[in-house]
Each structure stands twice: as structure tokens, then as C-alpha cells.
Amino acid sequence: DWSMTTTLERLLALEVTATEDRRLTGRLRFACLPTPATLAGFDYDAAPAVDRKLVSELTTCRYLDTATNILLIGPPGTGKTHLAIGLARQAAQTGYRTYFTTAADLAAKCHRAAIEGRWATTMRFYAQPTLLVVDELGYLPLPAEAASALFQVVSQRYLKTSTIITTNLGVGSWGQILGDNTVAAALLDRLLHRSVVLNLDG
């Protein structure tokens, strides 16, 4: 009993919904999120130092429009990775291209790329996502070439796209992580220029 106009509107609405669902599925597949963690499922009672209003503001994804970085700093078990995954999932659901990796995996991929002559291609890969999450920086010492790779990734994203880094060590200790105080200072200069820093405890 529908008119031709109504029928077309309903069919187009179905097609738009199906297309959006396919695109979201593709973005989430590309993101490589390791768990189904969401911001809604974060336990604030276990992490009383977390600013709920700040996290609520970050869920709007406005920080991505200004290429603002996020540093999540705190000891193991305080929810850094959960927040990082939740923010990455929110960004993907909002329509932004997102990619999640660990610092160790990023270092390993860059090392292989250098050996196999794919350095430029790998750097372009890490430069493309609107949001790049680098998890677990500081849990394992990084060799000199890995520290250099991380610096180059952050440098090419500087003021263009956003990066989230989770770490168990305060920024004053990053010279130990990277094995070079000069590289650490240059890396932090780019990360902190436009950034949000959350210190977690619990």
C-alpha cells in the first residue's frame, strides 16, 4: 500500500544502514582491537583518579579534529589499556580510521620492514590512521632501532593525526625506555605539544 516515494525512501534507508554497518565492520576489523572493551564498561570505582568528565569529553572524539594526543600513564592493572581500547572503539564507531598495536609489535614490524626494504611503506601505514594506539610502552626495553622507529612514526603524525600511548612509566623515565634521553625529549616534545595526559592509579 506504500506510494512509490515511500517505497524508495524505505529501500534507500535500508541500503544506507547496510552500507554504514559494512563500513563499521571494516573499520573495526582494521583496528585490530584485542578485546571487546568499551568506555561504558570501564570501572571508575577501581580507578578513582580518572577524571570522568574528561573521559566523557574524549568520547565526543573532538580531540581527533585537532590532532590531540593522549597519554595514559599508570602502574599495571589500572585500566590504561581498557581506556585506550574504548577510545579506539569509539573513534571507529564515529567513523574514524583507527589502528591498535603494542610498542613491541610496532618495533618488530618496523625492524622487519627495514630488513625487507619496506620501510617507506610501513611508515605510510602507521601515518594513515586518524587514531593510532600504541600500548604497553615501557614494559619491555626497546632496542635503539625500535626507539628510532617510534620517534619517526610519532614525528610523521605530528599535528596531523592523533596518537594514544599507554605506559607504566612517567615521562621523566622515558629516557630509560628508549635508551636515549635526546630521542626521548624529542619524542615527548611532539607528543605533549598538543595533548591530554591521564594519570591512573588504583
Side-chain angles (χ1 to χ4, degrees):
D1 296 329
W2 292 344
S3 68
M4 182 63 73
T5 301
T6 301
T7 302
L8 287 173
E9 286 178 348
R10 297 294 180 93
L11 289 173
L12 287 171
L14 287 171
E15 181 61 26
V16 168
T17 299
T19 300
E20 289 176 348
D21 288 345
R22 285 195 301 272
R23 288 175 178 171
L24 174 57
T25 299
R27 288 195 300 272
L28 288 173
R29 187 184 301 115
F30 177 81
C32 295
L33 303 180
T35 73
T38 64
L39 292 175
F42 185 76
D43 186 358
Y44 287 96
D45 293 333
V50 175
D51 187 337
R52 296 190 187 206
K53 289 184 178 179
L54 178 55
V55 174
S56 178
E57 166 61 25
L58 293 175
T59 62
T60 66
C61 293
R62 284 194 286 263
Y63 69 96
L64 295 171
D65 297 330
T66 56
T68 296
N69 302 310
I70 300 175
L71 270 64
L72 302 172
I73 303 172
T78 51
K80 301 183 301 297
T81 299
H82 187 132
L83 278 178
I85 294 171
L87 289 168
R89 187 178 304 281
Q90 184 66 37
Q93 290 172 339
T94 305
Y96 294 98
R97 193 169 175 82
T98 304
Y99 186 73
F100 183 100
T101 184
T102 64
D105 190 55
L106 184 149
K109 287 183 177 178
C110 289
H111 179 67
R112 285 198 301 271
I115 293 174
E116 297 170 2
R118 297 182 293 101
W119 182 261
T121 301
T122 301
M123 287 296 107
R124 283 197 299 272
F125 173 82
Y126 285 118
Q128 288 175 355
T130 306
L131 176 61
L132 174 68
V133 180
V134 181
D135 194 30
E136 298 179 345
L137 179 65
Y139 285 82
L140 296 171
L142 294 177
E145 66 270 15
S148 175
L150 179 60
F151 172 73
Q152 291 191 53
V153 168
V154 170
S155 292
Q156 66 180 350
R157 297 176 59 81
Y158 179 53
L159 298 181
K160 300 174 185 174
T161 47
S162 298
T163 303
I164 294 178
I165 292 183
T166 74
T167 177
N168 61 322
L169 296 176
V171 294
S173 301
W174 280 29
Q176 301 172 26
I177 300 174
L178 303 176
D180 188 316
N181 288 329
T182 302
V183 172
L187 179 65
L188 285 165
D189 180 58
R190 286 157 178 76
L191 285 173
L192 296 174
H193 177 204
R194 190 181 291 164
S195 67
V196 172
V197 179
L198 285 84
N199 289 289
L200 288 83
D201 195 7

